[in-house]
Amino acid sequence: MANEAVKYVWEGAIPLQIHLHKSDVASHPSPPPALVLAPRIGYLPLLIPHIKPYFKDSLPPGEDSIWFDYKGVPLKWYIPTGVLFDLLCAEPERPWNLTVHFRGYPSNILIPCEGEDSVKWNFVNSLKEAQYIINGNCKNVMNMSQSDQEDLWTSVMNGDLDAYTKLSPKLKMATIEDEFSRKASLSSPQSRQGATEMDVAGQIKTARVPVRLYVRSINQDFENIEDVPGIDTWDDISYLNRPVEFLREEGKCFTLRNAIESLLPEFIGDRAQTSGEERSRDDDNTEEADGLLREMGEIKLARIQGIEMKLEIPFSWVVNNLMNPEFYLHISVLVKAPQR
Amino acid sequence: MNSGREVIDGRLTVEGFSVAARAFADKWKTHNQSLPPWSWVPLINRTLLLSNQQEEGYLSLENILILSSLEESTEDESLNVATECSEKEEPVDHTILNQENEAHYYDFHIVYSASYKVPVLYFRGYCSGGQPLSLDVIKKDLPSCSVSLLLQSKWTFITQEEHPYLNRPWFKLHPCGTEDWIKLLSQSSISAGCQMPVELYLVSWFSVVGQVVGLRIPLEMLN
């Protein structure tokens, strides 16, 4: 059932130029940087087997504990590579220049990483959490056979969408219906249930969607995106790991903007759960409206899978097509903070 | 009926957590004076983390000086006032000697999981110099009965993960299955003729979870 958008997501990759940190260089001259194409849906530690050969002759003796940094900020290895790039590079840098370290793991900041096992554990854990959110329980993941779990993970590691598509139905992950996929689903051999709860009349549907929101807040407007300063520490990013809950109502479209605003209510005029576009035009009193606009923050940019999203896109389409293999939708947002 | 306040299926809403947290902190302060009080840390201070009109946050108990793990009865736990005081003004009575005879400090945070709709316990240990303690060292500080519980049980499962708000590695006690045993605890109050009120949720939860990390609560708190 792999559609174009899903293929696009799985094929997405970031060219990296990886420099060995000077304190790890024990050879002369120092080695040139390694050039690696990193899958967006993958994770940095998985690239180590490709990177290490470039540098092994330059390393000082001792055990490796590998970590990466971007402009001095240690990179959280359990965040998908594509998300790190979208979040940390306001203006996309190609190739993306990273520094690799083989010593001096910052264990007061980063949780430990023991190679592929740690990454796999993190993936499976996220998958369980996503399933719990969508299905209300994680028994399908828990009941999956060891070898199926292995194969699923391997398909992600290798970027093998065909293998993943064959295995993921075993997760029996409920899906969110959207108008665009409904036609496709009718002809699909898999049975699809909505991730929904319906009332007696079958009209109102609620859904819980796994979302990880990464928010960078700036205090002023910038002419160009490349003028947005980089972060100094992870404390400059607000991270929200919480589901978006929404009611599907007939005739109303729940957009990406609605989804983001439900997680960041500081960015809407009032707290009522109505469609974003209509609300900002509702204000009769223009003075009041201006005041509100000044106080309100503003979503400047939302990136998913490297795409700068139009916020009016139906959220259900975004989820179904742009989520990561562990069923989480990762959204990087640049916001202008509300003026208080 | 305010549905946000009920405990549904063993799980809590975010508003319910805020209510339960304050009730828990109040009861603790009243009944558990041998330990410092829990404080509520609002998320409002962290740039954008805001939700609804309710103030979101987590409970924090920090700088607890734990000097041991013994299976002794509660009488012994009131001995051994530490000569090195923690930063709190009241002397900490809950002190016992650890294997290395050095001071280990612990921080505990009770954080709400929006995904699982249950509270989760995060904790970390460190020496007086601030160096973090490894899980092996921490396990030596835990009551030995809880260490075997950890090894056997599938719900008390400690992993090292990043704190949801502080960008640092902490240890986390897994929430999987929480709603099941909370339901069991609720059932006893159901048969007594009442639903578990949300104010007692964290008290009940902590009566189980706290034991894993050596923090017992007095029985009076459960009333």
Side-chain angles (χ1 to χ4, degrees):
Chain A
M1 197 221 98
N3 61 34
E4 287 301 314
V6 175
K7 270 172 69 179
Y8 174 91
V9 166
W10 276 65
E11 286 166 8
I14 318 255
L16 303 182
Q17 183 160 244
I18 302 190
H19 309 257
L20 180 62
H21 191 258
K22 55 184 192 292
S23 67
D24 289 348
V25 178
S27 69
H28 186 77
S30 46
L35 295 168
V36 179
L37 196 60
R40 277 188 156 273
I41 58 169
Y43 302 85
L44 289 173
L46 299 178
L47 301 173
I48 290 167
H50 302 285
I51 297 171
K52 190 161 174 191
Y54 280 87
F55 298 126
K56 64 175 166 43
D57 295 333
S58 305
L59 295 177
E63 260 191 53
D64 297 335
S65 54
I66 301 174
W67 56 286
F68 298 84
D69 84 68
Y70 175 58
K71 295 192 171 165
V73 179
L75 296 182
K76 298 187 182 185
W77 53 264
Y78 49 86
I79 298 181
T81 308
V83 178
L84 287 171
F85 181 66
D86 292 343
L87 179 63
L88 300 177
C89 278
E91 171 75 10
E93 188 186 300
R94 288 192 175 88
W96 193 23
N97 285 286
L98 299 183
T99 304
V100 67
H101 304 248
F102 284 78
R103 304 282 181 277
Y105 196 91
S107 47
N108 57 330
I109 300 178
L110 289 183
I111 54 177
C113 180
E114 264 110 58
E116 188 204 315
D117 279 343
S118 299
V119 185
K120 176 174 140 198
W121 187 91
N122 166 71
F123 174 84
V124 174
N125 226 44
S126 300
L127 184 62
K128 280 186 196 160
E129 192 176 342
Q131 177 157 94
Y132 193 91
I133 292 168
I134 296 171
N135 286 2
N137 62 71
C138 42
K139 58 183 181 208
N140 295 336
V141 179
M142 310 274 269
N143 292 339
M144 226 180 169
S145 74
Q146 197 59 16
S147 68
D148 279 343
Q149 251 192 45
E150 273 299 321
D151 291 344
L152 188 74
W153 166 243
T154 306
S155 74
V156 175
M157 240 198 338
N158 296 339
D160 186 347
L161 180 55
D162 289 333
Y164 178 85
T165 308
K166 290 195 181 78
L167 286 161
S168 57
K170 296 191 182 200
L171 294 168
K172 300 194 199 112
M173 208 69 98
T175 56
I176 306 173
E177 284 179 23
D178 67 73
E179 293 67 29
F180 309 94
S181 60
R182 193 172 290 155
K183 285 193 180 144
S185 77
L186 288 174
S187 52
S188 160
Q190 309 159 19
S191 68
R192 287 162 70 105
Q193 329 154 338
T196 59
E197 293 161 57
M198 295 201 287
D199 67 7
V200 175
Q203 296 280 340
I204 312 292
K205 306 174 188 193
T206 61
R208 291 220 313 155
V209 174
V211 170
R212 289 188 167 156
L213 189 69
Y214 309 82
V215 189
R216 171 92 173 94
S217 170
I218 52 178
N219 287 319
Q220 55 184 108
D221 270 314
F222 287 92
E223 269 293 307
N224 301 307
I225 194 108
E226 60 253 21
D227 297 330
V228 173
I231 65 164
D232 296 317
T233 79
W234 283 98
D235 294 337
D236 294 335
I237 304 276
S238 297
Y239 170 62
L240 279 174
N241 174 29
R242 59 184 64 180
V244 167
E245 306 196 6
F246 68 98
L247 287 170
R248 299 216 44 223
E249 292 170 80
E250 292 297 322
K252 274 192 181 172
C253 181
F254 189 83
T255 64
L256 177 59
R257 181 189 296 277
N258 295 144
I260 296 174
E261 286 176 350
S262 73
L263 297 176
L264 299 177
E266 284 214 301
F267 294 85
I268 56 176
D270 60 59
R271 306 281 155 92
Q273 298 285 310
T274 55
S275 154
E277 299 83 357
E278 289 145 27
R279 194 186 315 106
S280 51
R281 289 175 202 121
D282 263 349
D283 295 282
D284 299 330
N285 184 335
T286 50
E287 263 180 49
E288 229 173 72
D290 284 348
L292 269 175
L293 280 171
R294 265 198 299 279
E295 280 166 24
M296 278 162 63
E298 203 189 323
I299 301 170
K300 304 296 281 182
L301 182 62
R303 274 192 195 133
I304 304 177
Q305 304 295 358
I307 306 166
E308 222 169 281
M309 305 294 298
K310 288 198 161 25
L311 298 178
E312 283 64 46
I313 297 183
F315 184 59
S316 50
W317 186 93
V318 176
V319 175
N320 287 336
N321 290 282
L322 301 182
M323 64 178 169
N324 273 51
E326 78 283 7
F327 287 83
Y328 258 97
L329 184 70
H330 299 257
I331 311 176
S332 298
V333 184
L334 182 68
V335 301
K336 182 159 146 266
Q339 309 304 309
R340 291 204 176 89
Chain B
M1 162 119 59
N2 185 346
S3 62
R5 291 171 61 91
E6 293 305 306
V7 177
I8 302 172
D9 240 14
R11 307 190 293 179
L12 272 180
T13 60
V14 62
E15 296 87 0
F17 176 78
S18 293
V19 172
R22 309 222 203 220
F24 174 76
D26 288 342
K27 281 180 175 278
W28 177 281
K29 202 167 184 176
T30 312
H31 297 290
N32 207 358
Q33 304 200 336
S34 60
L35 282 166
W38 291 81
S39 39
W40 175 254
V41 179
L43 293 181
I44 197 166
N45 300 328
R46 302 198 49 77
T47 51
L48 305 164
L49 298 184
L50 255 198
S51 171
N52 307 323
Q53 293 88 347
Q54 300 278 347
E55 192 185 73
E56 274 190 52
Y58 57 89
L59 283 171
S60 163
L61 183 67
E62 297 189 352
N63 290 316
I64 297 304
L65 183 56
I66 288 184
L67 304 182
S68 127
S69 77
L70 296 170
E71 289 172 72
E72 309 329 349
S73 63
T74 46
E75 286 100 68
D76 292 330
E77 288 176 18
S78 58
L79 300 173
N80 301 335
V81 177
T83 48
E84 265 177 282
C85 268
S86 64
E87 284 162 32
K88 306 277 180 226
E89 280 153 15
E90 312 103 63
V92 178
D93 289 328
H94 188 80
T95 61
I96 335 162
L97 275 173
N98 68 17
Q99 316 252 343
E100 283 88 23
N101 284 336
E102 67 182 20
H104 289 170
Y105 294 88
Y106 282 82
D107 294 341
F108 299 94
H109 288 180
I110 301 178
V111 185
Y112 179 70
S113 164
S115 306
Y116 292 100
K117 296 194 165 191
V118 292
V120 182
L121 183 71
Y122 285 86
F123 63 96
R124 61 174 189 159
Y126 43 96
C127 326
S128 36
Q131 304 93 319
L133 302 176
S134 70
L135 189 57
D136 288 330
V137 171
I138 291 177
K139 277 183 177 164
K140 293 191 197 138
D141 286 344
L142 297 180
S144 51
C145 53
S146 82
V147 176
S148 52
L149 194 75
L150 276 171
L151 296 172
Q152 291 163 27
S153 165
K154 72 175 181 184
W155 60 260
T156 46
F157 186 34
I158 293 182
T159 53
Q160 189 169 27
E161 287 183 31
E162 195 173 280
H163 190 288
Y165 303 114
L166 301 180
N167 292 318
R168 291 287 182 279
W170 280 60
F171 291 102
K172 167 180 158 182
L173 203 58
H174 265 241
C176 214
T178 296
E179 70 272 22
D180 294 326
W181 48 264
I182 288 283
K183 277 194 277 195
L184 287 175
L185 291 174
S186 310
Q187 261 150 33
S188 52
S189 49
I190 288 172
S191 57
C194 52
Q195 278 271 24
M196 180 195 290
V198 67
E199 288 84 358
L200 283 185
Y201 187 102
L202 275 178
V203 180
S204 310
W205 176 84
F206 200 79
S207 70
V208 178
V209 169
Q211 289 191 55
V212 179
V213 291
L215 292 176
R216 295 214 176 80
I217 63 171
L219 291 171
E220 297 82 38
M221 278 182 67
L222 289 164
N223 293 338

